[in-house]
Amino acid sequence: MTTVTTSRARTPRALDWRLRFAVLSLIWGFSFLLIKVGTDGYAPFQVTLGRLFFGTAVLAAAMAVKRERLPRGARTWGHLFVAALLLNALPFSLFAYSELTIPSTLAGICNATSPLWGMALSLVALSEDRPSRVRVAGLGIGFLGVLTVLGAWQGFDGLDARGTAMALLASLSYPIGWIYVRRTLAGTGHSHLSLTGAQLLVATVQLAFVTPLFTTFPTRFPLAPLLAVAALGALGTGLAVLIQYGLVAEVGPTTGQMVTYFIPVIATAAGVTLLGETLTWSTPVGAAIVLAGAALTQARPRRRGREDRARVTEAEPTNATAATAAETPSTTTPKDRTPQAPPAPPCTPNQNPNPSATASPRPLSKL
């Protein structure tokens, strides 16, 4: 008699979402250090071009594995051109130029102001997203934190105004881009991965045209800055986007976007520990105030949240993404509207663009 032993096939489990959350925070937090190292050997436009090239390569590989195709239609590509400029080419370049004269710690804190800019812009551009008093108070507290970081009571002494302004403009570019994406690319019928890959491709082409106009081809290729640029693109602009998609699909956009609040902490720790950047008391105190204000700008009335959940329960069954998006009013997709367009790779640095402007994971900025 022969005994046959069978074993149940086990499917590999994905990494716990908390671990992926921590990895994403580290990747985006270290992006500012990588920018600083990259600009030590290459011009800022060259750093941005390399970053976009390696990031596009990662998403192209992911699209090939999933057999995704690039979007079609001249109108869609026209909107992608603007989105790539506002969410990738412009902010990435501004951050690279800013870190020529300001420390990476300050650049990371400036990146955390994106939710504040997004809140301010929503007052004008998004009539359906009227803020509560708590969120308006958060806006004021957040910008008070910015003044604390910059040392306003000292007349901004010792601060490079140009570099700081570039970093703040970069963080402002993200919510502007997300408002544009929300108004123009919603309901195109293409997947998030397809649109994001196309957007990075367009941004790479944009920098490929601009870079030769302002820089000369490098005569040498220092290894450390080159590796920093490659890591910045492949990890901070490519892999991080894929991780964020998975996080938002599993735990929802509200939890997924909390990575924003860890980025400046990690960026500051990395800059001080590994680059030897100086740190005064006003920097961590101001950063804490900025993050507190940013958190308040994302607060939603509980009553409204319960009403939204009740409406979702009564509505017809929808897919998992739509159900997740309905958990918070900022990400609710009404039944009679098409889903929101996908995000571009953050921040990351950045992150993370304005979370209230889209139902998708952001890009935040989002290096």
Side-chain angles (χ1 to χ4, degrees):
M1 179 177 180
T2 304
T3 302
V4 179
T5 304
T6 60
S7 60
R8 181 177 299 177
R10 296 181 179 180
T11 57
R13 293 184 59 186
L15 291 177
D16 184 82
W17 73 267
R18 298 172 185 82
L19 180 58
R20 284 177 282 142
F21 184 96
V23 171
L24 183 61
S25 300
L26 287 172
I27 290 175
W28 276 341
F30 271 86
S31 293
F32 298 94
L33 180 147
L34 295 175
I35 291 174
K36 176 68 77 173
V37 175
T39 53
D40 285 341
Y42 302 97
F45 274 136
Q46 293 170 345
V47 171
T48 304
L49 176 59
R51 172 185 184 176
L52 288 169
F53 174 81
F54 287 109
T56 302
V58 171
L59 289 190
M63 290 177 63
V65 170
K66 296 187 176 183
R67 298 183 179 180
E68 294 274 0
R69 294 183 178 181
L70 290 173
R72 297 181 180 179
R75 184 187 183 95
T76 298
W77 282 95
H79 291 316
L80 283 171
F81 182 91
V82 179
L85 176 64
L86 293 174
L87 290 171
N88 302 114
L90 179 60
F92 289 0
S93 299
L94 286 173
F95 271 121
Y97 269 101
S98 72
E99 292 200 37
L100 291 177
T101 55
I102 68 172
S104 64
T105 55
L106 180 56
I109 294 171
C110 288
N111 179 74
T113 64
S114 267
L116 304 179
W117 294 120
M119 171 66 185
L121 290 171
S122 70
L123 296 175
V124 178
L126 300 174
S127 59
E128 73 275 16
D129 190 25
R130 290 305 178 188
S132 64
R133 293 180 181 179
V134 172
R135 298 178 68 197
V136 173
L139 181 64
I141 292 173
F143 283 113
L144 177 63
V146 173
L147 294 177
T148 303
V149 171
L150 302 182
W153 67 92
Q154 298 175 338
F156 306 104
D157 184 41
L159 181 72
D160 184 82
R162 183 178 180 182
T164 304
M166 285 184 176
L168 291 173
L169 285 174
S171 67
L172 172 61
S173 182
Y174 290 123
I176 293 176
W178 274 112
I179 291 174
Y180 180 85
V181 165
R182 180 174 182 175
R183 292 183 178 275
T184 60
L185 286 173
T188 58
H190 301 287
S191 71
H192 291 195
L193 180 59
S194 175
L195 283 175
T196 303
Q199 182 177 304
L200 275 184
L201 176 61
V202 171
T204 304
V205 173
Q206 290 172 344
L207 262 294
F209 278 98
V210 171
T211 301
L213 300 178
F214 295 92
T215 64
T216 57
F217 192 80
T219 57
R220 61 188 187 90
F221 296 88
L223 182 59
L226 181 60
L227 293 177
V229 172
L232 180 64
L235 300 179
T237 309
L239 179 62
V241 174
L242 301 177
I243 294 176
Q244 190 188 34
Y245 282 155
L247 279 175
V248 170
E250 182 173 345
V251 300
T254 302
T255 302
Q257 73 188 23
M258 289 182 65
V259 68
T260 304
Y261 307 117
F262 291 87
I263 293 174
V265 177
I266 296 172
T268 299
V272 172
T273 305
L274 300 179
L275 298 180
E277 296 176 346
T278 58
L279 186 68
T280 60
W281 70 267
S282 61
T283 300
V285 171
I289 298 174
V290 168
L291 294 178
L296 288 176
T297 63
Q298 307 310 310
R300 302 287 175 171
R302 293 184 179 180
R303 180 180 179 183
R304 185 180 173 188
R306 288 194 296 268
E307 292 174 353
D308 284 339
R309 285 192 292 271
R311 284 197 295 269
V312 171
T313 302
E314 296 172 359
E316 297 178 1
T318 56
N319 58 43
T321 302
T324 301
E327 291 177 2
T328 59
S330 65
T331 57
T332 298
T333 302
K335 260 177 64 178
D336 58 343
R337 294 185 184 179
T338 52
Q340 301 298 336
C347 177
T348 118
N350 327 31
Q351 65 137 319
N352 288 339
N354 176 26
S356 64
T358 177
S360 306
R362 45 179 206 155
L364 284 99
S365 117
K366 336 103 43 239
L367 289 170

